[in-house]
Amino acid sequence: MKSAHACNERKSPRLRGIGLALGIAFVVAGATACGDYGGGSPGSGGSSSSGSTLPGGGGGSAPDPAQSIPAFETTVLPILQAQCASCHAGSGPGTPAIAHADTATAYYASMNNQKVNLGNPLASRLVQRLAVDLHYCWGVCTVNAEEMRAAIADWATQISYTGAGVDPGTIRTSQQMMADGVELDSSDERYANNLIALWEFKEGTGTTVADTSGMAPAIDLTLEGADVSWLPSYGIDIVDGRAIAGPATSRKLYDRIAAPGTGTQQYTVEAWIVPANIDQGDNTPRIISYSQNTSSRNFTLGQVFYQYAFRNRNTSANISTNGTPDLITYDMDRDAQATLQHVVLTYSLGAGRRIYVDGLFTDDVDPVEAQPMWNWASDYSFLLGNERTNNRQWKGKIQLVAIYDQALTPQQINQNYLAGVGRKVVLRFDVSQWAGPGAYLEFLVSELDSNSYLFCQPVFYANAANGLRIAGLRIAVNGVMPVNGQAFANVDAASFGQPTQISRLCSVIAQDQGAGLDVFEIDIEIVDGYEHDFVETVTPAGVDTSVLPPVPAEGLRNFELVNASMATLTGVSPATPAVQSQFVALQEQLPAGFDLRTFVSSNQMGISKLALEYCDELVEDPVARDAFFGPGSTFAFDSPVATAFAGANADLVVDPIVDKMMGVGIPNQPSTAGVKAEVHALISSLNASCTVCDAQRTKDTVKAACTAVLGSAVVTLH
């Protein structure tokens, strides 16, 4: 928890080594993003329907803050402030402010955001982040997790926490569990053309996972190992073991994809997975593999810490029989996370290897040219979770795997991502006691990830032709109501004798004991003539702000000012279609406010991408180019690199870029000479490997120099 870390942001390959290489960049401190990945916590509690204002966990109501805050201050808070303050003290980019210098602020941040479970300390999110996610431990993770658990248990002991019953005046529906729901078949939501193998893990028992694609021969998998178990909501949890098919049935993949004359020479591997952690080693643990041993394979999806690796064997002289060099996701993007993720690999002769995470292309470019796969071996085995030689163990959950003999398009991949995974059930809650015979509330419910549920699109039915009102719905788990995620609290609608969808929203609700054990109820404020007031959580006002660091004198330009500044400096109209489209796409990734302390890595990436779009328009448009560099500029934009940058010609582009974008004689700016030296060094670096580089490379180099300055702090800070 101690170190700041970068969130999972995409970085365009056009930008790598361009803007971020300059020292002037990137003077903005704290350009990292801290946060709590994933959904709610296992075991996180909530306020009871009796009107308690904070989550207590473990099936009871909240403790009295007057008693609980002092106990928190002497037990959990010292650990948080010592180990988590670099991200979570309130002045950095991390949320929530659980390590704030003000005790009350840290307390309410921990309680309102369901980070502790006083009824079951081991299930607290603060403990699970260390024990399960291995999230920035300050020593041995298991030891740190036990230290945190013991502190929470001590807190609960000090306040004699036992939980409390439910207010008998509550309007609360019947109870439902995931097992009580009517399951929906969402297969029609997925793109399934050219599907040649599919494992949905619906068996739930035994040692066989069936290939349900319908494409013969079926590649059924056998579960092997000391610790491979079934998930209640479809899937397997691999701690020590694997799922494996023999070479005979696995050969279907070779025949349909790689065989000369019959293979398509393209394919897709799709998976819904939950990595157990991001510390699984650097020997590329195997998530999915079609291989013989550690040095011979046809393809593999592996994990290296925060990165996904894609190996594929083909006939290129630059690819080994091991499918290396890897196509691996950019390390700073941290694409691999210990939460439910949709990971897709595609390979085609046109695009080579590509990796998609949660419906988006990772922007990582295959370093090796695409060639046919005629040299795939036909006698390898298909596996999940390990290598055939059993020495590349991956740990995590697998909820779906599919293989296609075509490279899916980005649109098709996104369609499957939006379709989701796992059991989707309709849960019907009886409200006949309040709304008359046959009345019910109905939700579409699924597991969003290993920590949370998704409740969607509630439907209300009451046999009342003149209409029957319902308002203020809140979801309780095991008798406790999570504070966060109550998206239906403002619902106010009526049924007129027909099932009526009363909201189009979805709500994320934290798991407590897991999908096989959690019991759900719906608390209601108003049903027709019945009414029960609900007291909302209120964090005390008057937090002591004197403990916060002073507000920086420097400020950020927000998204509108960044766009306007770039347009003014380059002379490119912000209404230019390509620029306008990029600005709309990036608007949420650009700084929203002026406080320098809120700046995170995603802001810098958005700025850099927008700068690149402006620079692209500037260099490619002769009119804009002449206006910026001067109609008399002798720089040869349309000449090869060797000619264009010969001698001192680079000055013809470097001087206008730095002088016009950074300004001359402005106080508190980097040295003009120093910045120009950095830009010259960047140009030299980009062209160092050029032997015969054409005129397009010349323009791209100028764009890189332009982007480096336009996307830097000299433009975005004021």
Side-chain angles (χ1 to χ4, degrees):
M1 290 184 177
K2 193 168 186 179
S3 303
H5 59 281
C7 286
N8 180 17
E9 299 298 340
R10 301 284 178 259
K11 181 176 290 185
S12 167
R14 293 194 296 173
L15 293 172
R16 294 179 189 163
I18 297 179
L20 301 183
L22 280 179
I24 56 175
F26 277 107
V27 298
V28 181
T32 53
C34 302
D36 195 355
Y37 296 99
S41 70
S44 51
S47 60
S48 77
S49 56
S50 63
S52 300
T53 59
L54 288 172
S61 65
D64 178 5
Q67 181 187 22
S68 188
I69 290 177
F72 166 75
E73 185 175 27
T74 61
T75 56
V76 174
L77 182 60
I79 301 176
L80 296 175
Q81 290 181 337
Q83 308 301 341
C84 309
S86 62
C87 278
H88 294 281
S91 58
T95 57
I98 56 175
H100 199 280
D102 178 73
T103 299
T105 301
Y107 173 81
Y108 284 102
S110 300
M111 297 295 275
N112 288 357
N113 289 282
Q114 302 163 231
K115 302 307 177 189
V116 294
N117 186 325
L118 294 173
N120 182 8
L122 182 62
S124 297
R125 185 62 172 157
L126 292 179
V127 178
Q128 293 295 308
R129 286 294 273 161
L130 297 166
V132 177
D133 298 346
L134 310 184
H135 177 75
Y136 286 85
C137 307
W138 52 92
V140 178
C141 285
T142 53
V143 175
N144 299 154
E146 172 55 24
E147 180 184 353
M148 184 67 75
R149 184 210 63 78
I152 297 172
D154 187 14
W155 174 6
T157 299
Q158 287 189 33
I159 64 174
S160 301
Y161 181 79
T162 58
V166 175
D167 180 355
T170 298
I171 305 173
R172 179 166 280 196
T173 69
S174 63
Q175 297 181 338
Q176 291 282 284
M177 301 177 69
M178 290 292 287
D180 299 324
V182 177
E183 185 169 352
L184 297 181
D185 181 7
S186 60
S187 59
D188 58 347
E189 300 175 23
R190 289 175 46 82
Y191 178 85
N193 292 346
N194 296 93
L195 184 69
I196 60 173
L198 175 65
W199 299 271
E200 299 174 287
F201 304 98
K202 292 185 176 181
E203 290 81 2
T205 186
T207 59
T208 300
V209 183
D211 172 3
T212 58
S213 66
M215 178 66 65
I219 310 177
D220 293 343
L221 304 174
T222 299
L223 302 182
E224 299 179 347
D227 194 350
V228 182
S229 57
W230 293 95
L231 299 175
S233 187
Y234 303 152
I236 55 174
D237 188 357
I238 301 175
V239 177
D240 180 7
R242 64 188 182 184
I244 184 171
T249 54
S250 298
R251 178 171 177 140
K252 173 173 69 171
L253 303 179
Y254 168 83
D255 290 337
R256 295 299 301 255
I257 295 170
T262 61
T264 60
Q265 305 305 316
Q266 58 178 308
Y267 66 95
T268 296
V269 178
E270 176 191 11
W272 281 96
I273 61 174
V274 184
N277 56 67
I278 47 77
D279 192 18
Q280 305 210 30
D282 58 0
N283 62 355
T284 317
R286 315 300 198 233
I287 304 172
I288 302 172
S289 195
Y290 182 20
S291 52
Q292 173 74 10
N293 50 48
T294 58
S295 59
S296 302
R297 73 197 59 263
N298 293 332
F299 67 73
T300 287
L301 166 64
Q303 180 186 344
V304 182
F305 299 110
Y306 279 105
Q307 298 168 273
Y308 288 118
F310 181 6
R311 296 180 180 178
N312 176 73
R313 186 178 182 178
N314 66 34
T315 55
S316 169
N318 296 315
I319 284 282
S320 73
T321 57
N322 199 24
T324 57
D326 296 353
L327 170 64
I328 189 163
T329 55
Y330 185 59
D331 56 353
M332 293 304 295
D333 283 352
R334 301 193 175 193
D335 289 293
Q337 294 290 337
T339 188
L340 181 64
Q341 293 188 297
H342 184 241
V343 183
V344 176
L345 312 178
T346 66
Y347 180 83
S348 67
L349 296 180
R353 294 175 290 186
R354 292 170 70 96
I355 302 175
Y356 297 79
V357 177
D358 290 344
L360 297 174
F361 176 44
T362 64
D363 289 333
D364 299 286
V365 178
D366 197 340
V368 180
E369 70 277 10
Q371 294 292 338
M373 295 169 284
W374 298 328
N375 59 343
W376 272 22
S378 61
D379 58 349
Y380 288 176
S381 293
F382 183 78
L383 310 95
L384 306 177
N386 209 328
E387 187 55 80
R388 190 168 175 177
T389 47
N390 237 346
N391 57 350
R392 291 293 186 271
Q393 183 68 60
W394 177 80
K395 298 179 181 181
K397 299 176 178 66
I398 303 179
Q399 295 191 250
L400 181 143
V401 175
I403 301 179
Y404 306 76
D405 61 2
Q406 76 171 91
L408 298 189
T409 66
Q411 293 75 21
Q412 292 160 351
I413 292 168
N414 192 57
Q415 176 182 336
N416 286 0
Y417 169 64
L418 295 176
V421 71
R423 295 180 66 230
K424 295 181 180 179
V425 301
V426 174
L427 295 184
R428 179 171 290 185
F429 297 86
D430 180 24
V431 292
S432 58
Q433 178 181 354
W434 319 103
Y440 62 81
L441 275 169
E442 200 171 71
F443 290 82
L444 176 62
V445 184
S446 60
E447 282 191 86
L448 178 62
D449 55 30
S450 56
N451 300 313
S452 51
Y453 304 102
L454 195 64
F455 279 69
C456 290
Q457 301 162 0
V459 169
F460 176 49
Y461 169 74
N463 186 19
N466 294 324
L468 194 150
R469 181 188 178 201
I470 191 168
L473 311 182
R474 291 172 178 84
I475 300 161
V477 183
N478 299 329
V480 180
M481 189 178 302
V483 175
N484 288 339
Q486 300 296 348
F488 309 117
N490 295 321
V491 165
D492 194 338
S495 170
F496 293 87
Q498 298 290 333
T500 305
Q501 185 180 99
I502 57 177
S503 175
R504 294 181 295 174
L505 299 177
C506 289
S507 180
V508 178
I509 298 296
Q511 289 191 9
D512 185 8
Q513 301 178 46
L517 298 173
D518 285 341
V519 178
F520 311 114
E521 298 162 291
I522 312 299
D523 277 12
I524 309 170
E525 288 189 61
I526 298 172
V527 182
D528 198 24
Y530 299 93
E531 184 169 348
H532 175 76
D533 292 334
F534 182 88
V535 181
E536 296 288 357
T537 297
V538 178
T539 301
V543 171
D544 181 9
T545 59
S546 66
V547 298
L548 296 176
V551 176
E554 297 79 11
L556 283 170
R557 288 187 168 91
N558 68 2
F559 62 93
E560 293 177 329
L561 293 179
V562 167
N563 191 40
S565 297
M566 290 183 178
T568 300
L569 292 174
T570 59
V572 174
S573 170
T576 303
V579 170
Q580 186 177 45
S581 175
Q582 185 75 303
F583 175 69
V584 171
L586 293 171
Q587 186 168 325
E588 292 185 1
Q589 197 176 333
L590 297 170
F594 305 109
D595 191 340
L596 185 58
R597 297 169 299 177
T598 66
F599 191 83
V600 295
S601 57
S602 62
N603 296 150
Q604 182 59 58
M605 291 314 305
I607 289 167
S608 298
K609 291 177 181 179
L610 185 62
L612 180 56
E613 201 63 57
Y614 270 104
C615 290
D616 183 71
E617 290 291 329
L618 172 63
V619 174
E620 293 292 345
D621 181 358
V623 175
R625 194 169 67 207
D626 286 347
F628 185 87
F629 293 100
S633 174
T634 57
F635 184 79
F637 287 95
D638 296 315
S639 297
V641 166
T643 302
F645 291 99
N649 287 349
D651 291 337
L652 299 173
V653 291
V654 173
D655 288 348
I657 287 173
V658 174
D659 292 344
K660 291 187 176 183
M661 294 182 181
M662 194 178 85
V664 178
I666 299 175
N668 300 320
Q669 289 278 47
S671 160
T672 300
V675 173
K676 289 182 179 179
E678 290 283 355
V679 179
H680 276 290
L682 175 62
I683 291 172
S684 298
S685 174
L686 292 173
N687 293 328
S689 61
C690 277
T691 51
V692 180
C693 289
D694 60 15
Q696 188 56 53
R697 179 58 174 263
T698 297
K699 292 179 182 178
D700 289 344
T701 300
V702 178
K703 294 173 193 176
C706 171
T707 301
V709 181
L710 188 63
S712 74
V714 298
V715 173
T716 56
L717 288 186
H718 64 88

